[in-house]
Amino acid sequence: MILSGFFKDSFAASRLLKFSTELPFININQSYQIFSHIENPNGFICNTMMKGYMQRNSPCKAIWVYKLMLGSNVAADNYTYPILFQSCSVRLAEFDGKCIQDHVLKVGFDSDVYIQNTLINMYAVCGNLSDARKVFDGSSVLDMVSWNSMLAGYVLVGNVEEAKDVYDRMPERNVIASNSMIVLFGKKGNVEEACKLFNEMKQKDLVSWSALISCYEQNEMYEKALILFKEMNANGIMVDEVVVLSVLSACSRLLVVITGKLVHGLAVKVGIETYVNLQNALIHMYSSCEEVVTAQKLFSESCWLDQISWNSMISGYVKCEEIEKARALFDSMPDKDNVSWSAMISGYAQQDRFTETLVLFQEMQIEGTKPDETILVSVISACTHLAALDQGKWIHAYIRKNGLKINIILGTTLINMYMKLGCVEDALEVFKGLEEKGVSTWNALILGLAMNGLVDKSLETFSEMKEHGVTPNEITFVAVLGACRHMGLVDEGHRHFNSMIQEHKIGPNIKHYGCMVDLLGRAGMLKEAEELIESMPMAPDVSTWGALLGACKKYGDNETGERIGRKLVELHPDHDGFNVLLSNIYASKGNWVDVLEVRGMMRQHGVVKTPGCSMIEAHGRVHEFLAGDKTHPQNEDIEHMLDEMAKKLKLEGYAPDTREVSLDIDEEEKETTLFRHSEKLAIAFGLIAIDPPTPVRIVKNLRICNDCHTAAKLISKAFNREIVVRDRHRFHHFKQGSCSCMDYW
């Protein structure tokens, strides 16, 4: 065409340019080469080039062509400006749109309905509904597109009142407008209005059904979503990707894999099963329903995988507790985003693999990925379980340094960590600094204060919570009753228990009864505790019986203890705690024949006593000690410190409580066994590794025994060190020979 001279003909050149821009396999740059060789391009040619750039996702270059037009004095027409406004909409370039609007006014195209509609849409997409409404109200030419564009703008920003006003004023309410309103009602939780509008529609299309199904799904009305989908299917309405995604989400939530499979089959029948969003939804649905093999098959056979596909599969493995497969897939990912790291880190935390949680978090830091709230919550929880205070404090400092907002969930997790690691002041500081506090935040504080022996402060906080208008829930009363039991406040406990039922209309659950039984048992009211168990409207659980059995041992009521213990061992022969308590009751009476019988039964049932384990953090590392442990790398230093502790304890008048040793051995062997309890080993290591005035903080998996409690009090005085022990039930702050529990535990 160039050689023959036809290229100089504007019509011929425009046809060639239009042909090249409409063919997807021709690069847009080649189309531009054609455009650049046209000597005097007219408005149609420039519009064609701009439209081509828009079709190839290059909206910036459409504006650039317009600037060339202005520089070449090529007149724009009523087809030019809609393309430009569309370009501004895609780029959210409101300023450019305003400038182009000025050009429209200058050349006198402001009465063109097509231009007006694209201008309204541009402002609406950019979130400037005020200017969109000005254009709409000032327009002398409005059609259905104008009304729908204005309505769509209000739907986009979620303005229900203005949307309803436009919808009510529409000269003709078409299906598109009604569908938009259903979508808006769904987003805002106005399900009744969405249903009412849907039922009033004389004509419904696929989008109408899809909008209401999505409305149900978004508002957690999953059963209704599936019922409506079945009705839609019965009416012969063809499904599309959008409606199938909503239905699969509902199936995932309800764990109805059979329905999910039927929907999967329908997607295959329609031919949309290979869409990547649908593949991801199917992987998620099968994983949620614990059919991870099917999910893996879909993942492996898919030709189109995106980041969501990988993340969904990892989450599926985690949900099905196949953590090793999840990690293998995680390690093989081409790219990892926050969701990937969150799924893996949270997976480790959920399966109590807290060390791996922290190690993976450190890897994430090295990779330079910034953690989100979910990751931080999982990591802080891991620090809590591992008693890794230094690492927990580092994460808190990281949150502050990076200016991350501490919301209710993150704040509550931090309070819980500090309370469970004995740092009450730090927990109170976090609580005071929170802009927003939920009932879970108050619960964490009430429970934490009680655990740390600050019962009066705990109950004061409960009163303060109610003064702030926060309604207590079931967990709140577990915390409050727990506070009462820590100090033997029987009357106070009864008052709060009755208030929960009568004033707050909360029916007591097994945990509330368990607290009351423990409260009565600790106070020596064994008969009342047993009567309460017998009057419970539900079957008592293991911990409730365990509380009574432990109280029998504490107060030497061997007759009741034996009766209850034998009954519990018959009901729960595999429960190590019941067997051990019964064995200890026999041992306290010197009844070694029955002790051997119980231990024989334990061996027969394969019951293994949970070994005492104490953890202590020093210089960012967590060290674990078992009773009698001699495997620590610093064992020689620990042995020397144990000797030093024994000498100083003797000077303080310490006498080993050999009643704690339920073995038929001589007194000297019992004393040696006692002195190698895990908490004493951890204290010895702490005295070596942790410089004063930093407290020696220990976490033990079982209740601290009487002898270790007495020894810890005297060690705190003899070595002038603060020792904090968190056992299975509460905290013990040992300082200058006394304990925060006031010897009531």
Side-chain angles (χ1 to χ4, degrees):
M1 286 185 69
I2 295 172
L3 292 174
S4 64
F6 278 116
F7 202 74
K8 293 182 180 180
D9 181 87
S10 295
F11 178 76
S14 68
R15 301 312 296 172
L16 177 62
L17 180 63
K18 187 174 186 297
F19 178 76
S20 71
T21 57
E22 289 177 350
L23 292 177
F25 55 83
I26 295 180
N27 191 288
I28 192 66
N29 292 328
Q30 291 175 307
S31 297
Y32 175 71
Q33 290 299 318
I34 296 171
F35 174 77
S36 64
H37 279 87
I38 301 173
E39 292 180 4
N40 296 301
N42 56 26
F44 179 82
I45 291 171
C46 291
N47 290 347
T48 302
M49 192 67 241
M50 284 192 288
K51 194 174 179 182
Y53 277 129
M54 283 297 298
Q55 290 170 343
R56 304 299 179 86
N57 297 318
S58 299
C60 289
K61 291 190 176 181
I63 298 290
W64 174 70
V65 172
Y66 178 62
K67 290 177 181 178
L68 290 179
M69 286 179 68
L70 295 177
S72 303
N73 292 319
V74 178
D77 57 21
N78 59 335
Y79 293 103
T80 307
Y81 296 108
I83 298 170
L84 294 172
F85 285 135
Q86 287 168 12
S87 167
C88 296
S89 299
V90 171
R91 296 183 297 119
L92 301 178
E94 185 185 340
F95 179 77
D96 288 352
K98 281 182 180 289
C99 294
I100 294 164
Q101 183 185 9
D102 291 339
H103 291 197
V104 169
L105 293 170
K106 195 176 290 184
V107 297
F109 281 126
D110 53 309
S111 60
D112 185 284
V113 69
Y114 186 34
I115 292 174
Q116 292 290 78
N117 290 344
T118 52
L119 178 57
I120 292 168
N121 181 68
M122 186 275 295
Y123 278 129
V125 169
C126 293
N128 185 350
L129 271 299
S130 175
D131 282 349
R133 190 60 183 260
K134 282 179 185 176
V135 175
F136 179 81
D137 290 339
S139 178
S140 58
V141 282
L142 294 174
D143 62 6
M144 284 309 300
V145 176
S146 315
W147 287 93
N148 285 335
S149 297
M150 195 66 245
L151 180 63
Y154 286 126
V155 169
L156 187 66
V157 298
N159 191 328
V160 177
E161 293 308 313
E162 291 292 347
K164 286 171 78 173
D165 176 64
V166 171
Y167 183 74
D168 291 341
R169 289 172 49 204
M170 289 181 78
E172 181 186 346
R173 294 171 196 162
N174 58 14
V175 175
I176 295 172
S178 298
N179 292 345
S180 296
M181 289 303 294
I182 292 172
V183 169
L184 177 58
F185 288 142
K187 285 180 180 177
K188 291 298 179 178
N190 299 346
V191 180
E192 283 188 25
E193 290 194 67
C195 292
K196 184 173 179 288
L197 182 54
F198 179 83
N199 292 328
E200 289 174 352
M201 290 174 67
K202 293 178 181 177
Q203 286 185 310
K204 300 180 183 77
D205 60 9
L206 169 61
V207 178
S208 313
W209 291 88
S210 178
L212 189 58
I213 289 170
S214 296
C215 169
Y216 283 137
E217 188 268 330
Q218 288 166 3
N219 290 280
E220 300 181 4
M221 301 170 72
Y222 307 116
E223 293 91 347
K224 287 195 173 183
L226 295 185
I227 290 168
L228 187 63
F229 176 70
K230 288 175 183 175
E231 186 182 335
M232 172 187 171
N233 206 28
N235 280 305
I237 309 295
M238 187 62 69
V239 301
D240 67 353
E241 182 185 9
V242 176
V243 72
V244 171
L245 287 173
S246 296
V247 173
L248 286 174
S249 175
C251 292
S252 300
R253 296 285 188 171
L254 296 173
L255 304 179
V256 284
V257 72
I258 295 173
T259 305
K261 286 180 176 180
L262 292 172
V263 176
H264 185 183
L266 189 59
V268 172
K269 184 179 178 182
V270 176
I272 58 173
E273 81 282 0
T274 57
Y275 291 7
V276 67
N277 288 339
L278 200 52
Q279 288 278 319
N280 295 341
L282 285 166
I283 290 168
H284 177 69
M285 185 273 295
Y286 282 119
S287 300
S288 299
C289 297
E290 298 188 6
E291 292 214 4
V292 74
V293 175
T294 309
Q296 174 64 64
K297 187 172 183 290
L298 278 170
F299 180 82
S300 302
E301 293 176 355
S302 178
C303 300
W304 307 100
L305 295 174
D306 62 7
Q307 194 71 29
I308 298 172
S309 314
W310 288 84
N311 292 340
S312 297
M313 198 62 241
I314 290 169
S315 299
Y317 279 134
V318 167
K319 182 176 175 61
C320 297
E321 299 184 4
E322 296 193 24
I323 197 74
E324 301 306 333
K325 287 184 178 179
R327 183 57 192 266
L329 192 62
F330 175 82
D331 290 338
S332 67
M333 285 184 79
D335 295 296
K336 301 178 181 72
D337 61 8
N338 254 43
V339 178
S340 319
W341 288 98
S342 179
M344 202 63 241
I345 289 171
S346 301
Y348 276 134
Q350 288 163 14
Q351 296 194 27
D352 297 344
R353 294 175 62 165
F354 303 115
T355 302
E356 288 100 323
T357 302
L358 296 186
V359 169
L360 190 58
F361 177 69
Q362 289 165 358
E363 286 181 28
M364 179 183 173
Q365 293 288 292
I366 294 167
E367 291 281 333
T369 305
K370 289 188 176 181
D372 60 13
E373 175 207 320
T374 306
I375 293 171
L376 291 169
V377 166
S378 295
V379 174
I380 293 167
S381 298
C383 292
T384 305
H385 284 89
L386 292 173
L389 178 60
D390 289 348
Q391 293 188 53
K393 283 189 169 183
W394 182 89
I395 292 164
H396 189 188
Y398 173 90
I399 292 168
R400 284 187 296 225
K401 183 180 176 183
N402 288 275
L404 301 176
K405 185 180 178 183
I406 301 180
N407 60 16
I408 290 176
I409 297 172
L410 191 54
T412 302
T413 308
L414 279 168
I415 291 167
N416 187 54
M417 178 193 76
Y418 281 127
M419 283 298 189
K420 286 188 175 178
L421 297 180
C423 302
V424 177
E425 292 304 318
D426 291 303
L428 288 169
E429 184 185 337
V430 173
F431 181 81
K432 288 172 185 174
L434 287 176
E435 294 178 11
E436 191 179 356
K437 302 175 181 75
V439 65
S440 60
T441 317
W442 288 93
N443 291 346
L445 192 65
I446 293 166
L447 183 60
L449 289 167
M451 281 179 62
N452 282 278
L454 301 169
V455 172
D456 290 341
K457 177 69 175 170
S458 174
L459 296 175
E460 283 173 19
T461 303
F462 175 58
S463 299
E464 189 182 337
M465 170 188 178
K466 291 189 288 184
E467 287 168 9
H468 278 77
V470 181
T471 305
N473 60 14
E474 292 181 351
I475 298 170
T476 312
F477 281 100
V478 171
V480 170
L481 294 173
C484 294
R485 75 176 177 177
H486 283 313
M487 291 303 293
L489 305 176
V490 176
D491 292 339
E492 184 95 352
H494 273 300
R495 185 170 67 80
H496 287 299
F497 187 79
N498 293 331
S499 167
M500 175 183 72
I501 300 167
Q502 295 165 11
E503 183 183 345
H504 296 280
K505 311 301 179 188
I506 297 173
N509 61 30
I510 192 72
K511 290 186 177 180
H512 300 123
Y513 279 109
C515 286
M516 289 302 295
V517 169
D518 197 18
L519 171 61
L520 294 169
R522 286 169 187 251
M525 303 170 71
L526 304 181
K527 183 181 178 183
E528 290 86 345
E530 190 172 4
E531 286 173 354
L532 181 59
I533 288 178
E534 290 170 354
S535 69
M536 284 168 58
M538 72 282 290
D541 63 359
V542 166
S543 59
T544 304
W545 280 117
L548 180 57
L549 190 57
C552 291
K553 179 180 180 295
K554 177 181 178 180
Y555 285 99
D557 188 347
N558 294 329
E559 184 182 338
T560 306
E562 278 186 48
R563 176 171 53 80
I564 293 172
R566 282 198 171 277
K567 178 182 175 182
L568 291 177
V569 168
E570 287 174 13
L571 291 171
H572 304 278
D574 298 329
H575 192 278
D576 65 323
F578 292 156
N579 280 283
V580 170
L581 274 171
L582 181 59
S583 173
N584 290 345
I585 288 171
Y586 286 139
S588 66
K589 294 167 59 181
N591 191 346
W592 301 111
V593 174
D594 286 334
V595 169
L596 291 173
E597 181 191 342
V598 172
R599 292 186 176 174
M601 292 295 291
M602 288 175 71
R603 282 193 296 272
Q604 185 179 331
H605 288 96
V607 180
V608 180
K609 178 187 174 184
T610 302
C613 173
S614 296
M615 294 186 293
I616 180 171
E617 184 188 37
H619 310 298
R621 284 190 60 200
V622 176
H623 303 257
E624 287 189 19
F625 293 91
L626 298 175
D629 203 340
K630 292 187 178 183
T631 60
H632 195 275
Q634 291 178 255
N635 184 61
E636 192 173 329
D637 295 330
I638 292 169
E639 293 293 337
H640 287 309
M641 180 53 72
L642 286 171
D643 291 340
E644 183 69 19
M645 284 163 53
K647 290 175 187 175
K648 290 197 175 187
L649 282 172
K650 194 171 183 180
L651 292 173
E652 294 291 339
Y654 164 74
D657 185 1
T658 55
R659 291 173 302 172
E660 292 289 335
V661 182
S662 55
L663 297 171
D664 189 13
I665 54 178
D666 62 38
E667 287 298 304
E668 188 176 344
E669 285 182 277
K670 286 184 178 182
E671 288 181 19
T672 303
T673 302
L674 275 176
F675 218 70
R676 301 201 66 83
H677 276 192
S678 65
E679 51 266 66
K680 290 194 181 82
L681 296 175
I683 289 171
F685 174 75
L687 294 173
I688 297 165
I690 300 170
D691 297 326
T694 304
V696 175
R697 299 180 187 278
I698 295 162
V699 174
K700 188 178 180 187
N701 64 331
L702 304 175
R703 188 182 74 90
I704 187 171
C705 73
N706 290 329
D707 184 75
C708 286
H709 191 270
T710 301
K713 285 196 296 182
L714 296 174
I715 292 167
S716 72
K717 181 182 177 184
F719 286 84
N720 192 26
R721 295 294 298 272
E722 183 181 353
I723 300 169
V724 181
V725 177
R726 185 184 105 206
D727 71 7
R728 191 172 181 174
H729 297 289
R730 64 174 300 162
F731 269 94
H732 300 269
H733 293 258
F734 299 101
K735 202 170 184 179
Q736 291 300 318
S738 63
C739 179
S740 60
C741 75
M742 293 185 280
D743 297 338
Y744 189 90
W745 86 103

